[in-house]
Amino acid sequence: MILVTFIKRGNEMRNPNHPVKGSHTTVDPIREIQDLKDIKRELKKTSSRDYLLFVMGINNGLRIGDLLKIKVGDVVELGVGDTFKLYEQKTGKRNVVMINNDVYKALEMHLPDEITEEDKQEYLFKSRKGGALTRESVAKMIKEWTAGIKGNYSTHSLRKTWGYHQRINHGVGIEIIMERFNHSSPIVTKRYLGIENKEVNAVLMNSVG
């Protein structure tokens, strides 16, 4: 279980994954596999909707605004390996949502066995008040999910987590991640993922021949 740890700063107590007011911050990916597993375990016990949002977020690399506009009818008949197309709100570019094995299982857990035509018009990530969850509410949720993990986490963290683990754990090249993110150049993607010159320089220590 993830515990919230507070740090004393002057006379105030603050959560380490909340930035100090007025400071410049960079949103982090969730780097440790164990942290991902811990969050998934807790969400699986508490909310199938939140579990699905987290799983779909870290497995698709889309902006949170594009995930939140998905409707039940978009995914209800899809199986593992299927995709559906969407247009990104920010760029207007076409992209796809992939239903991999983890996403499919999360959908199975969240969606009811019987789905009506009316159900298909509902947002997949519906708020308790009706309509889709808002970006602001999801930002608060992610802060709660990552409480106790060092770093600064918000809505971009799910998207960055996908990119980070594709690069680090699956060896996917920057160019492919750039295309998925619909970035204009590899430089933008490197900056987005926080790849620093020292990491690039480190590969020069690798002997060739």
Side-chain angles (χ1 to χ4, degrees):
M1 182 175 181
I2 298 172
L3 301 176
V4 182
T5 303
F6 288 90
I7 296 174
K8 189 170 184 179
R9 182 176 181 270
N11 293 323
E12 298 179 351
M13 300 295 287
R14 68 178 183 86
N15 188 326
N17 76 341
H18 287 252
V20 177
K21 187 176 181 180
S23 64
H24 176 74
T25 60
T26 299
V27 174
D28 294 305
I30 303 169
R31 295 177 174 85
E32 300 297 327
I33 294 293
Q34 189 58 53
D35 289 333
L36 294 173
K37 289 181 177 180
D38 289 344
I39 293 170
K40 288 167 68 175
R41 183 180 64 249
E42 292 302 313
L43 293 180
K44 203 170 188 179
K45 293 189 295 187
T46 58
S47 171
S48 63
R49 180 202 66 184
D50 295 356
Y51 177 74
L52 174 60
L53 178 59
F54 184 74
V55 169
M56 190 172 278
I58 65 174
N59 279 277
N60 266 282
L62 294 171
R63 292 179 181 88
I64 200 67
D66 295 321
L67 288 177
L68 295 181
K69 70 179 183 181
I70 296 173
K71 293 192 173 180
V72 171
D74 294 326
V75 298
V76 66
E77 296 179 358
L78 299 183
V80 176
D82 289 338
T83 63
F84 75 89
K85 298 174 184 177
L86 53 76
Y87 286 90
E88 296 180 343
Q89 291 179 324
K90 183 175 180 178
T91 67
K93 296 178 181 178
R94 191 172 70 174
N95 215 326
V96 298
V97 174
M98 167 63 74
I99 308 300
N100 68 10
N101 192 54
D102 284 353
V103 172
Y104 181 76
K105 289 179 179 178
L107 282 167
E108 275 196 316
M109 184 182 1
H110 180 60
L111 295 175
D113 293 333
E114 300 292 332
I115 296 178
T116 66
E117 289 302 315
E118 185 177 353
D119 293 332
K120 292 180 181 180
Q121 303 308 312
E122 297 283 356
Y123 286 103
L124 186 61
F125 303 111
K126 186 169 64 173
S127 74
R128 293 180 178 85
K129 296 180 180 179
L133 286 169
T134 65
R135 184 188 303 270
E136 292 75 20
S137 63
V138 174
K140 292 179 181 177
M141 289 159 57
I142 291 172
K143 291 290 187 186
E144 293 173 358
W145 301 344
T146 56
I149 304 173
K150 185 179 179 181
N152 179 44
Y153 302 97
S154 191
T155 53
H156 276 282
S157 292
L158 304 187
R159 177 172 159 90
K160 286 190 176 188
T161 296
W162 176 85
Y164 176 86
H165 287 281
Q166 291 297 329
R167 186 174 69 90
I168 297 298
N169 295 322
H170 297 289
V172 177
I174 285 294
E175 291 79 7
I176 294 177
I177 296 174
M178 177 196 77
E179 288 189 22
R180 177 55 178 165
F181 283 165
N182 265 331
H183 284 165
S184 58
S185 74
I187 294 173
V188 174
T189 303
K190 285 169 61 179
R191 188 183 305 121
Y192 185 77
L193 292 178
I195 300 174
E196 301 176 343
N197 287 335
K198 64 181 181 181
E199 181 178 339
V200 177
N201 291 344
V203 303
L204 298 176
M205 291 297 294
N206 298 333
S207 298
V208 176

